[in-house]
Amino acid sequence: MSSIFELSPRCQELHRLLTDFVENDCLPAEEIYESQVGKGDQRWKVVPPIIEELKKKARSLGLWNLFLHKGYPEGPGLTNLEYATLCEITGRCPRIAPEALNCSAPDTGNMEVFAKYGTPEQKQKYLVPLMNGEIRSAFAMTEIAVSSSDATNIETRIERVGDHYIINGHKWWISGAGDPRCKVYLVMGKSDPDNESLYRQQSIVIVDAGTPGLEVVRPMTVFGYDDAPEGHCEVKFTNVKVPISNIIAGEGRGFEVIQGRLGPGRIHHCMRAIGMAERTLDLMIARVTDPSRRTFGKVLARHGTIAADVAKIRIEINAARLMVLAAADKIDRVNAKGALRDIAMAKVMVPNVLQRSIDLAIQAFGAAGLSQDFPLARFHAGARALRIADGPDEVHIQQLARYELFRGDDIREKQKAVSERRAQIVANNCKL
C-alpha cells in the first residue's frame, strides 16, 4: 500500500497507536460491552459503561474525531486517504471501536454537516458537544410509506408558519434514535413541494430530542439484531414545531447537504467493511488451520475448496481496499461531488466482497458460524444491510452506467478517427 499511497509520519504513528488500541483494548472489551447492554425494560436506557472507558483512553492517545478531514479547522488535519487507512482498523471491531474514537455513524455525517453548513450558534449548541462525545445524534431521511432510495419521493412536510417550521412525517430506520444520549435530529423533508426543480423542494431542519410531537415508535431489527443501545428506529413527527433558525444552510438546499454528507459517509462505511472482511478472514484461517478440527482425515485447510476460498477472499479484499483508497484520494483531490463515480464503485464492490467473505467463512465454521459464539452472524447482518443503507446497489450501478454510457459519442468519434487514419495509411501504400 505505501508504495502506491504514501502516508505521513504522523499517520503512520496514528496507525500504530490505533492498531494497538483496537487489538488490546477494543477487541477484549467486545464481550464485556455486550454483557452490559440493557436487558428487558432497560434495553434502551443503559449505555455500556465500558464504552466511556474506551472513549477516555482513545482521546488520551489522540485517537479522537479522526474522520473530520483537514478542510475543517475543527478536525485533526488528516486527509480522507489517511483516515481511510485508520478507519479500516476500527472495522475489525465495528460495534465499539468507531464509537470509542467518536467516529461512528450517524454522528460523523451530522458533525460534518454542522461543520460545513452550521451557523456559529448551531455549531456551539450541537457540534461542540458532539465532537466532545457528550451527546449523540440521528439523521432522519428514510420513510416508511415511499421508496426512499429515490430521495425525491420523501413526503415529510416542513411548512413555515411565522417564525417557526411545522414538521409532519413518518420515518423509519433512523439510526441512533434509540440511544438515550441522542439529543438532536437532522430531519429531511419538503419545504417547497411545488418547486419545478425536484432537487430544490427539500430542506433539512434541526429537531431537538424531546420536542413535543417527536415520537420514537419502535426499534427495527436487522435479521433479529436490534443494535441497542443506538438502534434503528421508526420515528413519527406530528406537528413538531421548531424555530426558523433551525434550518440547515437555507430552504431548498436539502439535496446539496445530503450529497455532501453521504459521499464521505459511504466511503467511511466501506473503510470499516474492509476491516470487517480482514477480521473475517483471520477468523476463518484460525478455524481451518486448527489441528483439532479434521474432516475425512485432514485438517480443514487441506481440503481444496477451503484453501481456494481463502485465496479468493484475499484477492477480493486487496482489490476492494485499493478501490476504497482510490476513492478517498479522489475526494481529497476533487471533492466528494467530483468523486461520485469512484464512491459509487466502492459502495457497490466493498459490501458485496464483505458479504461473500463472511458467507464463505460461515460455511467453513459450520453451525458455529451461525451462532452467538462468533461475530460472523452479526457481521453478515451488517454486511447485507450495507448493500441497502446509504443507497442500494442498484442506484449506484445505475449511476455508474450513466457515467459510462455518456462516453458513447466520444468513443464513436475516436473509432471514426481510427478508421479514417487506417484509410490514409492504406492509400499511402501502407506507409506511415
Side-chain angles (χ1 to χ4, degrees):
M1 180 180 65
S2 60
S3 63
I4 301 175
F5 298 103
E6 292 294 339
L7 302 179
S8 67
R10 181 190 175 207
C11 185
Q12 292 179 43
E13 176 61 10
L14 288 171
H15 195 282
R16 183 189 67 79
L17 287 170
L18 181 54
T19 299
D20 182 75
F21 177 67
V22 170
E23 295 297 322
N24 295 311
D25 292 300
C26 294
L27 287 175
E30 275 186 326
E31 290 186 16
I32 298 170
Y33 179 92
E34 295 299 340
S35 71
Q36 293 177 343
V37 173
K39 308 295 188 295
D41 62 1
Q42 296 298 302
R43 187 71 173 167
W44 304 99
K45 298 177 182 178
V46 174
V47 176
I50 191 67
I51 195 66
E52 292 303 322
E53 292 294 317
L54 290 167
K55 285 165 67 176
K56 205 176 300 180
K57 182 164 185 179
R59 195 164 192 175
S60 72
L61 292 170
L63 302 172
W64 194 252
N65 290 330
L66 300 176
F67 73 94
L68 199 58
H69 66 81
K70 67 178 185 179
Y72 298 101
E74 298 92 345
L78 298 173
T79 65
N80 284 289
L81 175 59
E82 289 174 324
Y83 178 59
T85 66
L86 302 173
C87 189
E88 175 185 326
I89 301 168
T90 69
R92 293 182 64 84
C93 187
R95 276 279 277 169
I96 56 179
E99 184 182 352
L101 276 59
N102 210 39
C103 291
S104 56
D107 296 334
T108 49
N110 292 342
M111 283 188 268
E112 188 159 0
V113 167
F114 282 122
K116 185 172 184 177
Y117 298 102
T119 65
E121 294 76 19
Q122 290 170 350
K123 289 183 179 181
Q124 185 61 37
K125 184 175 180 180
Y126 303 108
L127 181 59
V128 170
L130 279 168
M131 293 196 70
N132 284 333
E134 297 165 359
I135 65 172
R136 298 209 61 184
S137 62
F139 187 80
M141 186 177 85
T142 304
E143 296 188 357
I144 194 168
V146 298
S147 298
S148 301
S149 57
D150 177 356
T152 63
N153 289 332
I154 297 300
E155 293 182 337
T156 293
R157 287 300 312 275
I158 301 173
E159 299 180 86
R160 182 166 177 171
V161 180
D163 293 333
H164 292 82
Y165 290 110
I166 305 298
I167 305 160
N168 284 280
H170 192 177
K171 307 282 190 177
W172 70 343
W173 295 104
I174 308 308
S175 297
D179 199 310
R181 299 164 296 176
C182 180
K183 301 302 180 186
V184 59
Y185 293 70
L186 295 182
V187 182
M188 183 174 181
K190 287 187 176 177
S191 55
D192 185 10
D194 297 322
N195 193 300
E196 61 182 19
S197 170
L198 289 175
Y199 303 100
R200 295 288 295 176
Q201 297 177 355
Q202 302 79 9
S203 297
I204 293 178
V205 293
I206 302 165
V207 177
D208 290 318
T211 300
L214 192 166
E215 177 191 3
V216 178
V217 179
R218 57 171 175 155
M220 309 303 297
T221 61
V222 181
F223 295 148
Y225 293 102
D226 63 10
D227 291 338
E230 298 91 356
H232 315 280
C233 300
E234 180 181 346
V235 180
K236 287 183 178 179
F237 299 86
T238 306
N239 294 323
V240 173
K241 185 178 181 181
V242 300
I244 58 172
S245 59
N246 279 26
I247 194 78
I248 291 288
E251 291 186 12
R253 296 182 66 185
F255 252 89
E256 173 192 344
V257 173
I258 65 167
Q259 287 305 315
R261 180 188 185 279
L262 289 176
R266 286 167 177 150
I267 286 297
H268 295 172
H269 281 310
C270 292
M271 295 166 184
R272 286 187 291 269
I274 297 295
M276 290 173 67
E278 284 286 3
R279 186 173 172 202
T280 296
L281 182 57
D282 285 355
L283 289 166
M284 181 178 178
I285 291 172
R287 184 78 169 188
V288 302
T289 58
D290 184 345
S292 70
R293 298 196 170 275
R294 306 172 70 84
T295 59
F296 306 103
K298 294 190 288 188
V299 172
L300 293 175
R302 297 293 301 276
H303 291 282
T305 56
I306 295 288
D309 287 345
V310 168
K312 290 173 185 176
I313 293 172
R314 169 50 62 209
I315 291 168
E316 292 200 353
I317 290 175
N318 281 20
R321 177 183 291 110
L322 289 173
M323 180 78 76
V324 172
L325 294 177
D329 181 59
K330 189 77 170 286
I331 294 172
D332 286 329
R333 290 186 289 108
V334 298
N335 71 40
K337 187 174 181 179
L340 284 177
R341 184 175 66 171
D342 302 80
I343 293 169
M345 287 191 291
K347 180 59 176 61
V348 172
M349 181 182 187
V350 176
N352 278 278
V353 167
L354 174 59
Q355 189 179 356
R356 283 194 296 273
S357 301
I358 297 166
D359 188 63
L360 291 173
I362 289 174
Q363 196 69 15
F365 266 75
L370 304 172
S371 74
Q372 69 270 37
D373 290 350
F374 297 93
L376 295 174
R378 183 184 283 275
F379 280 10
H380 189 272
R384 189 61 188 86
L386 190 54
R387 291 184 54 204
I388 297 172
D390 286 357
D393 289 359
E394 291 79 7
V395 169
H396 297 297
I397 289 170
Q398 186 178 39
Q399 183 184 54
L400 278 168
R402 282 201 302 268
Y403 284 130
E404 291 302 305
L405 295 173
F406 185 73
R407 300 189 301 118
D409 289 345
D410 287 340
I411 292 171
R412 283 190 296 275
E413 284 298 316
K414 290 177 182 178
Q415 291 173 334
K416 181 180 178 182
V418 168
S419 297
E420 291 174 349
R421 178 59 177 149
R422 183 188 301 114
Q424 290 175 351
I425 295 171
V426 171
N428 196 34
N429 297 317
C430 295
K431 294 180 180 179
L432 297 180

